[in-house]
Amino acid sequence: MSERRVFLSALGLKALITSARSVSQCCIMVLTPNLSSDFVTLFVTIGPIDTAAVFAGLTAATSGRERQGLARRSVLISGAVMILFGLLGGLVLSLLHVTLAAFRVAGGALLFLQALTLTFASPGLSSINDSERREAQGLDDMAVFPLAFPLIAGPGSLSAMVLLVGRATTLAAQAAVFASLLACLLLTYGAMRIAGPLMRWLGKTGADVVGRISGVLLAALAVQFVFDGLRQAAL
């Protein structure tokens, strides 16, 4: 009797696993064919590793609790800004009489410039210069500037949000864009929380390697945005 129960339980578990696998595959197929492209584009333009490196330098003199609060507030603020850009970007473009095709070409060019800076290991469009760094260190709260903007929600990532949401033609595809954004923001928050150990583990060489690989991926995605814009404009 017990062997029969074990056998039935095994059959039930196998059926449950098979059903779960089928459902997950269907969800992935229905969700969006561009899910990986969405995630890579946002991951590269937000740059969790680069953000963590700057965050470690700016918060070297602060306590662990203060760093945790800064990381949390900066991610929440930048996330809200990027969500607004994703939701209202198309409306703003229409008010300015700018077609999505034109913005795809312009946004693709902007992302390509950021890809070049990443590939050649130079400060990107979402980085800060020395004067901004000195100004930030004199502020009481760095969560808005420079952490939320321009480090996390910089010109590249904001443009990427408008491009990705504009490319999504279904509700599921749009949900996938915001899910990718959420995943990237969580990764950024995690990288900021362990910024010190992460930078010691990666080192300057490791961070440069990550940046160069990200730059190559972003360059390909940026060129694809330009091609899509030209194709949509029927040029």
Side-chain angles (χ1 to χ4, degrees):
M1 191 70 176
S2 59
E3 293 179 355
R4 183 180 180 184
R5 288 181 179 177
V6 171
F7 178 71
L8 292 176
S9 299
L11 286 179
L13 181 60
K14 183 178 180 181
L16 182 62
I17 293 174
T18 304
S19 301
R21 184 179 302 171
S22 301
V23 171
S24 63
Q25 290 175 349
C26 291
C27 288
I28 291 174
M29 293 176 61
V30 171
L31 192 57
T32 174
N34 299 317
L35 180 60
S36 58
S37 174
D38 296 343
F39 177 80
V40 171
T41 302
L42 290 172
F43 181 85
V44 173
T45 52
I46 292 174
I49 304 299
D50 298 334
T51 301
V54 177
F55 180 76
L58 291 176
T59 60
T62 59
S63 65
R65 179 173 295 182
E66 290 174 336
R67 284 196 298 271
Q68 180 180 349
L70 283 172
R72 182 176 62 253
R73 291 197 302 276
S74 61
V75 168
L76 289 175
I77 293 170
S78 60
V81 172
M82 294 180 70
I83 289 173
L84 283 177
F85 261 73
L87 294 175
L88 303 179
L91 176 61
V92 173
L93 291 178
S94 63
L95 292 176
L96 295 175
H97 302 287
V98 176
T99 64
L100 184 59
F103 188 79
R104 280 178 174 169
V105 175
L110 181 67
L111 294 179
F112 188 77
L113 289 176
Q114 183 167 355
L116 290 179
T117 61
L118 288 171
T119 304
F120 295 104
S122 58
L125 298 175
S126 298
S127 185
I128 58 176
N129 54 38
D130 292 336
S131 62
E132 290 174 333
R133 189 184 298 270
R134 288 193 298 269
E135 181 181 353
Q137 289 175 338
L139 298 175
D140 293 331
D141 190 354
M142 297 179 287
V144 178
F145 173 84
L147 295 178
F149 185 86
L151 281 179
I152 303 176
S157 56
L158 293 174
S159 301
M161 276 300 297
V162 179
L163 288 171
L164 293 175
V165 174
R167 184 179 68 178
T169 56
T170 64
L171 211 56
Q174 292 177 356
V177 175
F178 291 105
S180 299
L181 173 63
L182 177 61
C184 291
L185 290 175
L186 290 175
L187 288 174
T188 302
Y189 176 71
M192 293 170 74
R193 287 291 308 274
I194 60 170
L198 180 63
M199 291 302 102
R200 287 193 296 271
W201 180 70
L202 282 176
K204 183 67 168 64
T205 302
D208 285 345
V209 169
V210 172
R212 291 175 191 272
I213 295 175
S214 300
V216 173
L217 294 175
L218 183 59
L221 292 168
V223 172
Q224 186 61 54
F225 278 125
V226 174
F227 285 170
D228 291 342
L230 294 176
R231 188 183 303 112
Q232 186 177 357
L235 294 179

